[in-house]
Amino acid sequence: MSKIQGKVLKHSEQTRTMHWIHLLCFLILGLTGIGFYFDSAGISNLFGGEANASLVHRWAGVLFTAGPAIYILLNFERFSKFIDTISSFTKDDISWLKTMGGYIPFIKVENPPPQDKYNAGQKLLGGIIIIGCLLMILTGFPMWLWRHLVPAAFLAICYSIHLWVAVILILAIAGHFFLAAIHPKSRVEFASMMLDGYIDAEISAHHNAKWFNTLQEVKEKI
Ligand code: HEM
């Protein structure tokens, strides 16, 4: 039997609430956006017709922007720490990326290099999501509120960026969902972010050894 038992808190209640709000908004934005692009009456009708789908898209966009903004204001220190973690790539992260931490079936890895609270793949994904969301916000609002004020060429650029970043984000989130909810090696992450915030200590000690060791240090100091 393993020596490490019990659970550790990985994601606070506010983080989980913000993640839920952002995910639900993203699903609505993605679905209505796909409906606009393909001019799909089937999708628009789910939201009460084309005009309503457009309204739902815009107001979901407001919540999609306000949710993280309020979270950052209330949790500035925690968010800064998150940015610090996902933007620091050590040589352990580089060697994790070379083998993708053993997540790819044909690359065998006995002992993946120790990782932070987020592994190198999650760090990259975090960067893509933050930059992608900022681009959606920075293009979406001019497309909505200033469409008659900005030059036509600028509006056309906003539409192109909005469309292509949406494609990248939808693919990235699909990959994120597969790894966090379906892949047998990592699906334990799902309950931790979507339910109670806790994860088995043994799993953390193995997958996020650097972070887990800092928790131990804190415990020993108390
Ligand atoms: C702050 C966030 C956002 C705002 C304010 C916003 C706003 C808009 C607006 C005004 C349009 C033009 C369609 C219309 O008139 O109703 C649009 C189109 C679209 N949006 Fe968004 N949006 C946001 C986020 C997103 C996100 C996160 C996605 C994808 C997951 C997305 C995907 C799309 C797509 C695919 C289109 C169609 C583009 C095209 O036909 O070229 N949007 N958005």
Side-chain angles (χ1 to χ4, degrees):
M1 209 168 125
S2 159
K3 273 192 221 147
I4 303 173
Q5 285 175 0
K7 290 184 176 274
V8 288
L9 181 65
K10 191 163 184 187
H11 305 294
S12 75
E13 193 174 356
Q14 287 197 6
T15 305
R16 285 177 279 131
T17 309
M18 190 276 288
H19 191 265
W20 262 110
I21 293 172
H22 218 218
L23 171 67
L24 292 175
C25 289
F26 185 84
L27 293 177
I28 293 170
L29 287 162
L31 186 62
T32 45
I34 290 169
F36 304 146
Y37 183 72
F38 291 105
D39 212 358
S40 159
I43 296 179
S44 300
N45 288 341
L46 290 175
F47 298 91
E50 215 176 295
N52 278 339
S54 177
L55 271 181
V56 168
H57 188 85
R58 292 160 198 223
W59 287 100
V62 172
L63 200 54
F64 183 80
T65 310
I70 293 170
Y71 171 82
I72 294 168
L73 287 176
L74 296 177
N75 297 272
F76 193 72
E77 217 174 297
R78 181 178 289 150
F79 181 72
S80 310
K81 212 168 159 200
F82 170 74
I83 294 293
D84 243 21
T85 307
I86 68 164
S87 57
S88 77
F89 279 84
T90 61
K91 64 179 192 327
D92 286 330
D93 291 313
I94 307 293
S95 45
W96 190 98
L97 285 174
K98 282 184 186 154
T99 56
M100 288 313 288
Y103 281 84
I104 295 182
F106 50 86
I107 308 181
K108 285 246 172 297
V109 189
E110 284 301 314
N111 284 314
Q115 295 292 286
D116 278 317
K117 185 171 182 182
Y118 302 98
N119 66 41
Q122 291 169 323
K123 288 181 180 184
L124 278 182
L125 182 86
I128 291 171
I129 290 178
I130 291 176
I131 294 170
C133 289
L134 282 174
L135 286 171
M136 295 311 282
I137 292 167
L138 291 174
T139 52
F141 283 106
M143 285 160 63
W144 173 11
L145 301 172
W146 303 301
R147 53 187 308 113
H148 301 298
L149 298 177
V150 296
F154 176 77
L155 198 60
I157 292 173
C158 286
Y159 267 87
S160 294
I161 294 176
H162 203 78
L163 174 66
W164 287 106
V165 174
V167 173
I168 293 169
L169 280 181
I170 289 170
L171 292 175
I173 298 299
H176 176 47
F177 178 77
F178 173 74
L179 287 169
I182 296 172
H183 195 293
K185 274 179 91 172
S186 49
R187 62 184 171 213
V188 284
E189 296 279 349
F190 183 81
S192 149
M193 183 54 103
M194 306 312 288
L195 301 175
D196 64 358
Y198 283 88
I199 190 158
D200 285 349
E202 190 191 0
I203 290 171
S204 276
H206 182 67
H207 288 268
N208 307 96
K210 288 184 182 171
W211 175 66
F212 185 75
N213 291 338
T214 65
L215 298 181
Q216 296 294 90
E217 278 163 28
V218 171
K219 224 174 175 185
E220 277 158 20
K221 274 184 203 147
I222 290 170

